[in-house]
Amino acid sequence: MLTLTQVQNKSSAKLAGLNPAVHSAAAALIERCYACGIPILITQGLRTAAEQEALYAQGRTKPGAVVTNARGGYSYHNYGLAVDFALLLPDGKNVSWDMLRDGNEDRLTDWEQVVQIAKTLGFEWGGDWSGFRDYPHLQMTFGLALDRLRAGEWPSRAAMATVNDLLKKEDNIIKEEEAIVAVHVNGVKAADGVLDKGITYVPARLLAEAIGAKISYDPKSRTVDITLASEKAKFF
């Protein structure tokens, strides 16, 4: 399983150059999706006007399918105010745009969960547009239409502060959801665990002892080994 740091590192290059508030929100999105068992990859971030023109030409004057209706200067990507995402697959190398995928097996589509988390962070989703729907697209406009951005106007400090305040509020909500929980094995309390963002953390030694297993640690490989007796291994 990929670590959070590994997942974050895969998107770091695409976060470069984003508006600071959008950068913080995108980083929070990666972290909160990971906590739900949904690793994601930011596939697009800041895009120059020339890059936008090349993308616009795809499916028109160049081979490929049409992927955007926006010319250079007519996309929030061109101003560091938008990102695109994809679902990062378990191998850590490939991605999926399958909107029906349920990789964390919670009976909810991963795509829908990512979108809902993004909206709590202040993002607008391209899948809600009435015209051309851009399902991987997330953006923050800060109340600025594209013509104002083309004229050289940028998000105000007050507008960006609103997003940062929202992120802090969401962080506080998550911290309040952390709780100490009792972990039982066959009806008998084995240890106290910490419930954090839907994941329960339990001391490995206490849990191993509760199920009658042997536990050892190899500092060289930084590996914890839990070994069950053969007859118990069949039961568990």
Side-chain angles (χ1 to χ4, degrees), residues 181-216:
V181 295
V183 178
H184 291 206
V185 175
N186 293 331
V188 178
K189 182 177 178 180
D192 283 326
V194 176
L195 180 62
D196 181 7
K197 303 176 186 176
I199 301 174
T200 301
Y201 297 89
V202 185
R205 182 170 297 281
L206 293 179
L207 187 59
E209 292 174 350
I211 61 177
K214 293 182 179 180
I215 185 170
S216 61

Side-chain angles (χ1 to χ4, degrees), residues 1-47:
M1 179 179 177
L2 295 170
T3 66
L4 174 58
T5 299
Q6 289 173 320
V7 173
Q8 291 170 323
N9 288 342
K10 288 181 178 296
S11 292
S12 60
K14 294 299 183 181
L15 299 184
L18 290 175
N19 171 280
V22 177
H23 185 290
S24 296
L29 178 65
I30 294 170
E31 182 177 346
R32 293 175 194 184
C33 288
Y34 180 86
C36 294
I38 308 173
I40 65 171
L41 179 72
I42 301 302
T43 60
Q44 288 287 310
L46 175 65
R47 191 186 296 147

Side-chain angles (χ1 to χ4, degrees), residues 7 17 42 55 62 64 82 89 93 108 111 137 159 176 212:
V7 173
I42 301 302
L55 196 62
K62 293 183 179 180
L89 296 179
K93 298 178 180 179
L108 298 171
W111 202 274
H137 184 87
E176 290 173 0

Side-chain angles (χ1 to χ4, degrees), residues 148-161:
R148 293 170 65 183
L149 290 169
R150 288 195 299 274
E153 192 171 346
W154 290 96
S156 67
R157 290 185 179 181
M160 290 190 291

Side-chain angles (χ1 to χ4, degrees), residues 94-109:
N94 296 299
V95 297
S96 171
W97 286 271
D98 181 0
M99 295 178 64
L100 298 180
R101 177 179 169 79
D102 181 18
N104 61 355
E105 300 180 343
D106 62 355
R107 298 184 181 181
L108 298 171
T109 66

